[in-house]
């Protein structure tokens, strides 16, 4: 497995293809790829029986026809849900993908993946540990490796325990005290902030520590131009139809 080499190109499609297709489904990945994207961010959590799958929210209602806390259902039940119709009838029947299905798709296409560890509350450490092991199994021998990211230090710690060689990034929605020390103690290769937080001083601080500085979720052209001129190392975007990754 490619170890600790930086796994992502500059442009990363958020949740597959942002808002143009049902987020975190293979339909979204395919659409993102049609726009030329070769790297994708997705949100991963565990079913009650410990299988990693893609879903942003803790609950099922917004992006599927299921109900309740997703992590309280087994994979058998989750795999039967419709995660496409909420977005539009042309996506009817689109399933919630397992991480394994996504791994097959991205490895076959030589695409890069940013796995955001988005644990069901209370399962942060376990989610990192299990997804770390799964990534070793799924990507092993492919010559590729994903990037782990999380807002939750416990999830990154779990991934560090089970898959120490896979690169990690700390996600930040605020510059809380000690954030850079936290990223360093978790062995992160990157800090990924909300784009409005990435000012010159913050960018310089991240780079001075030898880490990469990435931003989410940039959908505005002027904001993207400024961040590129300032020297960010990667942009996560919904606007796959606006920004060409070429
Ligand atoms: O990984 C960047 C971004 O996805 C974080 O926010 O809520 O879209 O998962 P969210
Ligand atoms: Mg995310």
């Amino acid at each position: 497995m490619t170890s600790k080499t930086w796994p992502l190109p500059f442009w990363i499609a958020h949740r597959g293809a942002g808002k143009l297709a049902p987020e975190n489904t293979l339909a979204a990945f395919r659409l993102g790829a049609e726009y030329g994207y070769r790297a994708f961010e997705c949100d991963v959590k565990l079913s009650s029986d410990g299988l990693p799958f893609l879903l942003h929210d803790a609950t099922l209602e917004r992006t599927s026809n299921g109900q309740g806390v997703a992590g309280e259902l087994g994979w058998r039940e989750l795999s039967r849900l419709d995660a496409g119709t909420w977005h539009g009838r042309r996506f009817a029947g689109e399933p919630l993908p397992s991480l394994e299905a996504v791994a097959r798709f991205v490895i076959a296409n030589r695409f890069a993946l940013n796995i955001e560890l988005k644990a069901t509350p209370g399962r942060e450490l376990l989610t990192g540990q299990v997804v770390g092991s799964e990534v070793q199994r799924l990507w092993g021998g492919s010559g590729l490796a994903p990037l782990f990211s999380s807002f939750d230090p416990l999830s990154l710690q779990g991934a560090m325990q089970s898959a120490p060689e896979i690169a990690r990034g700390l996600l930040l929605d605020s510059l809380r005290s000690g954030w850079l020390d936290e990223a360093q103690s978790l062995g992160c290769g990157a800090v990924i902030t909300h784009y409005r937080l990435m000012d010159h001083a913050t960018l310089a601080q991240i780079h001075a520590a030898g880490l990469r500085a990435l931003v989410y979720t940039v959908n505005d052209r002027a904001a993207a131009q400024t961040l590129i001129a300032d020297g960010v190392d990667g942009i996560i975007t919904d606007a796959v139809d606006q920004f060409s990754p070429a």
Side-chain angles (χ1 to χ4, degrees):
M1 182 164 318
T2 314
S3 64
K4 287 281 178 90
T5 48
W6 183 248
L8 297 174
F10 187 88
W11 287 99
I12 302 147
H14 187 225
R15 304 183 197 174
K19 299 177 190 299
L20 297 178
E23 63 185 56
N24 286 310
T25 66
L26 277 172
F29 279 66
R30 290 195 187 96
L31 194 62
E34 279 174 30
Y35 281 98
Y37 277 73
R38 302 190 58 79
F40 303 88
E41 184 266 358
C42 63
D43 304 294
V44 173
K45 52 177 46 65
L46 300 180
S47 64
S48 65
D49 45 349
L51 189 127
F53 70 101
L54 274 59
L55 189 73
H56 180 274
D57 300 0
T59 51
L60 289 159
E61 282 81 353
R62 184 177 63 85
T63 58
S64 82
N65 63 347
Q67 287 180 335
V69 176
E72 290 177 359
L73 299 184
W75 176 243
R76 210 174 138 80
E77 224 172 317
L78 290 167
S79 65
R80 291 185 181 135
L81 296 176
D82 178 338
T85 301
W86 71 273
H87 192 281
R89 262 183 306 184
R90 83 179 173 106
F91 296 111
E94 188 64 32
L96 293 171
S98 64
L99 180 60
E100 179 157 4
V102 172
R104 268 190 245 117
F105 175 79
V106 296
I107 291 168
N109 287 290
R110 313 306 287 170
F111 291 153
L113 190 66
N114 170 197
I115 297 175
E116 184 190 338
L117 300 162
K118 194 81 124 183
T120 301
R123 304 183 84 190
E124 289 81 6
L125 182 69
L126 179 72
T127 300
Q129 291 168 333
V130 171
V131 177
S133 302
E134 271 294 274
V135 161
Q136 304 269 33
R137 181 177 74 83
L138 295 168
W139 270 262
S142 70
L144 299 170
L147 170 79
F148 286 129
S149 64
S150 190
F151 288 105
D152 198 299
L154 269 182
S155 289
L156 291 173
Q157 195 185 315
M160 181 162 67
Q161 288 167 2
S162 61
E165 296 305 316
I166 304 290
R168 292 176 294 281
L170 179 65
L171 280 164
L172 294 173
D173 55 11
S174 72
L175 295 177
R176 59 178 175 258
S177 126
W179 59 270
L180 188 54
D181 290 342
E182 219 174 311
Q184 288 179 309
S185 68
L186 289 162
C188 289
V191 174
I192 309 169
T193 74
H194 186 280
Y195 75 91
R196 289 201 190 91
L197 300 176
M198 195 62 85
D199 56 17
H200 286 118
T202 306
L203 189 65
Q205 225 180 329
I206 295 169
H207 281 165
L211 307 184
R212 286 180 168 78
L214 281 74
V215 285
Y216 70 88
T217 304
V218 183
N219 299 328
D220 173 77
R221 197 170 290 277
Q225 279 167 354
T226 303
L227 289 157
I228 292 167
D230 288 349
V232 295
D233 301 297
I235 290 180
I236 299 172
T237 183
D238 289 317
V240 299
D241 54 342
Q242 302 292 315
F243 299 129
S244 168

